[in-house]
Amino acid sequence: MNLDQIPFNFSLIADEFSPSIEGQVAAAKRIGARAIDLRSIGVRNVAELSVQELDDAVSQIHDAGLVVAGLASSLGKHLGESQAMASDLLRLHEVAERHRIPTIRIFGRLCAPSGSSGNRQALDWLEPLRTTIAHSSVDLVLEPEIGTGTPYAMEGLARVREFESEHLKLVWDSGNFVKQGCYAPVSELYDALKVAIGHVHIKDFDTERQCPCPPGEGAGQIAQLLHRLWVDRYSGWVALEPQLVRDTRRFSSSDCALEAAAMGVVHCWTTAQMLQEAS
């Protein structure tokens, strides 16, 4: 079984496996993903690329028979002035609208190094774009991350609700939630967050080794997540974000890491089907 045989819209955050578009396309096709979450080309994040560079990259992906499920920007994760961040986002927004890319990932706003608590001004840099966001077909998806003013899932949900836009939603990322101290994320968070989920990352986290692991091997409850998404008829994109390549002691090559991640999803889906039959 490959990912294309599982009834979800699977994408791959593929720059982990190659810095080039050609390599990212090859990695996605190898595991049966229908799309790429475009995060970087070479050493530059999408937020650093020009409109022409973005257009060229998206066209290259389309010509290879895949689509772009999202632009995975780093906006809000690094220090930046509000005006510059808004300008970068507007550029991404233009490209997403033109190519019908459904989501742009953002973060809150980088805090001081010691700051990990929530910040009600975390999304103030979006205010100049409120009208653009409101009249758009593109969703901004906010990823909770320590140090960004939306450090935890429930903090992210609070910021989304305060912003009051149907086009601002949340990224679900089990691996991040476990890393942040929630050791049963689906059991503890899913019911509260499900109305705001706009994009899903499949990433698991091993609490004993304190590192990412193939889906199903950690505390991320990936099988339970797939089960709940299926029951709730989630129709958005599910992006595989393994973060396994750096574990060279376990995975001798990027191909091995990619295969382990894909097979983990397959096994989790088998378990999810069993959960459905038992319910």
Side-chain angles (χ1 to χ4, degrees):
M1 181 182 289
N2 220 340
L3 295 191
D4 56 4
Q5 297 173 279
I6 302 174
F8 287 102
N9 297 317
F10 278 108
S11 177
L12 178 67
I13 300 179
D15 58 353
E16 174 180 345
F17 304 99
S18 175
S20 72
I21 294 297
E22 295 87 351
Q24 293 179 35
V25 166
K29 286 187 172 183
R30 179 178 173 186
I31 61 173
R34 294 177 45 228
I36 285 174
D37 270 38
L38 187 58
R39 184 167 59 185
S40 68
I41 303 173
V43 297
R44 292 189 295 161
N45 180 259
V46 291
E48 302 172 83
L49 301 177
S50 69
V51 168
Q52 186 63 60
E53 288 172 317
L54 289 166
D55 280 339
D56 290 347
V58 173
S59 295
Q60 191 175 349
I61 292 167
H62 287 175
D63 289 345
L66 301 179
V67 299
V68 179
L71 297 176
S73 88
S74 59
L75 289 172
K77 195 171 184 177
H78 306 290
L79 288 172
E81 296 295 330
S82 293
Q83 186 174 355
M85 291 167 66
S87 177
D88 288 342
L89 181 56
L90 192 61
R91 186 171 63 255
L92 294 175
H93 208 272
E94 175 190 339
V95 172
E97 285 277 13
R98 179 161 51 253
H99 295 285
R100 298 183 179 180
I101 299 169
T103 64
I104 300 172
R105 182 191 66 175
I106 61 171
F107 296 86
R109 187 182 184 88
L110 186 68
C111 303
S114 60
S116 61
S117 61
N119 179 357
R120 291 185 178 276
Q121 284 73 50
L123 297 178
D124 61 354
W125 63 278
L126 292 180
E127 286 298 331
L129 301 180
R130 184 176 281 276
T131 300
T132 300
I133 294 167
H135 294 91
S136 173
S137 60
V138 179
D139 286 337
L140 304 182
V141 288
L142 176 67
E143 183 168 348
E145 183 85 11
I146 296 293
T148 66
T150 55
Y152 305 110
M154 294 307 295
E155 195 71 46
L157 180 62
R159 300 292 81 80
V160 165
R161 286 175 170 169
E162 287 169 2
F163 196 77
E164 296 182 329
S165 171
E166 64 177 324
H167 292 298
L168 179 63
K169 299 177 181 177
L170 279 178
V171 175
W172 175 283
D173 190 317
S174 288
N176 281 358
F177 299 158
V178 173
K179 189 176 180 180
Q180 294 159 4
C182 181
Y183 296 151
V186 177
S187 301
E188 296 178 25
L189 296 173
Y190 183 84
D191 285 329
L193 299 183
K194 65 179 181 179
V195 295
I197 295 173
H199 203 61
V200 172
H201 288 177
I202 295 294
K203 181 167 78 238
D204 211 344
F205 193 80
D206 185 328
T207 56
E208 183 175 342
R209 296 182 64 217
Q210 284 294 296
C211 66
C213 60
E217 293 187 11
Q221 296 186 301
I222 305 300
Q224 290 89 334
L225 173 64
L226 294 177
H227 174 238
R228 294 298 303 272
L229 292 172
W230 177 247
V231 168
D232 290 340
R233 299 182 180 180
Y234 173 77
S235 59
W237 287 96
V238 178
L240 187 58
E241 185 189 14
Q243 292 192 355
L244 301 179
V245 168
R246 292 182 181 179
D247 191 354
T248 55
R249 288 186 300 174
R250 182 173 180 187
F251 305 106
S252 59
S253 68
S254 61
D255 285 346
C256 290
L258 180 63
E259 186 72 17
M263 289 307 301
V265 175
V266 169
H267 291 317
C268 286
W269 173 243
T270 300
T271 303
Q273 290 177 295
M274 295 171 60
L275 292 172
Q276 177 62 19
E277 292 170 359
S279 62

